[in-house]
């Protein structure tokens, strides 16, 4: 009989109730294939933890304040781990969970046998897992002064590097995101966003003109009136994306 068990299973348990996390962790510790178990008490913590370190399997609560289980999957975009098992006390979320790509759906309270079946399915999927091409994310989550903000990617005008952070310019507002610009560019995808400088990415939908400045270099003018320097290094790729013949540079 085929044994689907992977060599090691890195598990993340996400639930806003500490007791629920602890009960599940105790059960998981009995499985000899589970080598690491981390836990998060909120959806936002889960998003950051998954981005920060490799995870094979996530037990994800559906209903959590500020950022629920479905928000977690949406915000992760192409970085969703190989296996997601939703854990909840509410049957009505099951259909949406499977539509979101969940492998299984555990209803609280569940017994050892039900958890074992879910784990077996997860191990089989992970053993045969082939990473999918990442899909561009639709929203970014930003923590600001005790608030959790969800920023639609389509609303972003441009992004600039600010050390380890990225500063999102959205209309007249600015939001700091603790993500390096290079990583953010990959996750946003190249269809809408393009780098014009080593520290600047623009939303191509916001670009209105390419203008020569007093120094003989080009600036990218956005519909907001903002002018951003176009680096020579990125000029050719920018012009090609905008359909401008290279001879006009």
């Amino acid at each position: 009989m085929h044994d689907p068990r992977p060599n090691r299973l890195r598990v993340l348990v996400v639930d806003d109730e500490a007791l629920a996390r602890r009960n599940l962790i105790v059960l998981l510790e009995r499985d000899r294939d589970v080598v690491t178990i981390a836990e998060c008490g909120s959806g936002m913590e889960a998003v950051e933890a998954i981005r920060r370190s490799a995870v094979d399997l996530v037990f994800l609560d559906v209903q959590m304040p500020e950022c629920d289980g479905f928000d977690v999957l949406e915000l992760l975009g192409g970085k969703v781990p190989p296996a997601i098992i939703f854990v909840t006390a509410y049957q009505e979320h099951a259909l949406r969970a499977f539509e979101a790509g969940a492998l299984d759906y555990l209803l609280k309270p569940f017994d050892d046998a039900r958890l074992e079946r879910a784990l077996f399915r997860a191990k089989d999927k992970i053993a045969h897992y082939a990473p999918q091409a990442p899909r561009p994310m639709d929203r970014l989550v930003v923590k600001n002064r005790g608030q959790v903000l969800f920023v639609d990617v389509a609303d972003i005008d441009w992004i600039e590097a600010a050390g380890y952070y990225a500063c999102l310019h959205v209309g007249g507002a600015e939001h700091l995101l603790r993500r390096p610009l290079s990583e953010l560019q990959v996750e946003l995808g190249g269809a809408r966003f393009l780098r014009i400088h080593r520290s600047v990415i623009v939303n191509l939908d916001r670009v209105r003109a390419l203008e020569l400045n007093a120094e003989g270099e080009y600036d990218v003018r956005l519909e907001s009136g903002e002018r951003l320097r176009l680096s020579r290094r990125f000029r050719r790729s920018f012009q090609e994306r905008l359909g401008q013949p290279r001879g006009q540079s």
Side-chain angles (χ1 to χ4, degrees), residues 73-81 129 132-137 187:
L73 297 188
E74 181 180 349
L75 292 168
L76 284 172
K79 286 199 170 182
V80 174
Y129 177 70
Q132 303 295 312
R135 60 180 179 84
M137 61 177 62
E187 295 190 5

Side-chain angles (χ1 to χ4, degrees), residues 31 52 102 169 172 185 192 203 209 213:
D31 192 301
R52 189 171 55 245
H169 294 263
Q185 182 183 14
R192 174 180 285 153
N203 183 343
N213 61 32

Side-chain angles (χ1 to χ4, degrees), residues 12-227:
L12 177 65
V13 176
V14 185
D15 198 307
D16 61 323
E17 297 181 4
L19 182 58
R21 296 197 306 271
R22 175 46 45 191
N23 290 340
L24 181 52
I25 288 171
V26 168
L27 295 176
L28 290 171
E29 287 174 339
R30 301 175 185 174
D31 192 301
R32 61 190 177 96
D33 295 321
V34 176
V35 294
T36 59
I37 305 175
E39 59 180 298
C40 292
S42 72
M44 278 195 57
E45 289 177 15
V47 171
E48 294 175 357
I50 292 169
R51 284 174 175 160
R52 189 171 55 245
S53 47
V55 176
D56 301 305
L57 169 61
V58 180
F59 287 89
L60 185 59
D61 188 18
V62 173
Q63 291 194 325
M64 293 179 288
E66 297 177 340
C67 180
D68 66 22
F70 298 110
D71 290 330
V72 169
L73 297 188
E74 181 180 349
L75 292 168
L76 284 172
K79 286 199 170 182
V80 174
I84 302 292
I85 296 175
F86 274 108
V87 183
T88 180
Y90 304 96
Q91 175 69 46
E92 60 266 26
H93 298 296
L95 178 59
R96 185 181 174 194
F98 288 116
E99 288 176 344
L103 174 68
D104 210 335
Y105 191 90
L106 293 181
L107 275 175
K108 303 175 185 177
F110 50 84
D111 57 24
D112 293 4
R114 181 65 183 89
L115 176 62
E116 186 176 343
R117 291 198 300 273
L119 271 174
F120 186 89
R121 294 187 64 196
K123 292 174 187 179
D124 185 65
K125 181 174 182 179
I126 293 165
H128 300 92
Y129 177 70
Q132 303 295 312
R135 60 180 179 84
M137 61 177 62
D138 297 318
R139 291 195 297 170
L140 294 171
V141 60
V142 178
K143 289 185 287 187
N144 182 25
R145 300 177 182 176
Q147 287 185 316
V148 178
L149 305 177
F150 294 97
V151 178
D152 288 336
V153 166
D155 293 337
I156 298 173
D157 298 320
W158 61 289
I159 308 170
E160 65 177 325
Y164 183 80
Y165 291 80
C167 182
L168 311 179
H169 294 263
V170 185
E174 297 181 1
H175 305 289
L176 276 180
L177 189 66
R178 189 174 175 79
R179 305 279 296 285
L181 194 67
S182 56
E183 177 183 307
L184 196 56
Q185 182 183 14
V186 171
E187 295 190 5
L188 289 171
R192 174 180 285 153
F193 289 86
L194 188 68
R195 188 181 291 250
I196 63 168
H197 189 277
R198 62 182 177 83
S199 60
V200 175
I201 297 172
V202 297
N203 183 343
L204 293 175
D205 293 338
R206 297 292 192 272
V207 174
R208 289 296 171 264
L210 184 61
E211 301 176 341
L212 198 63
N213 61 32
E215 300 172 3
E217 299 293 340
Y218 281 98
D219 291 336
V220 175
R221 179 166 59 82
L222 306 184
E223 64 180 19
S224 64
E226 186 79 40
R227 296 170 66 97

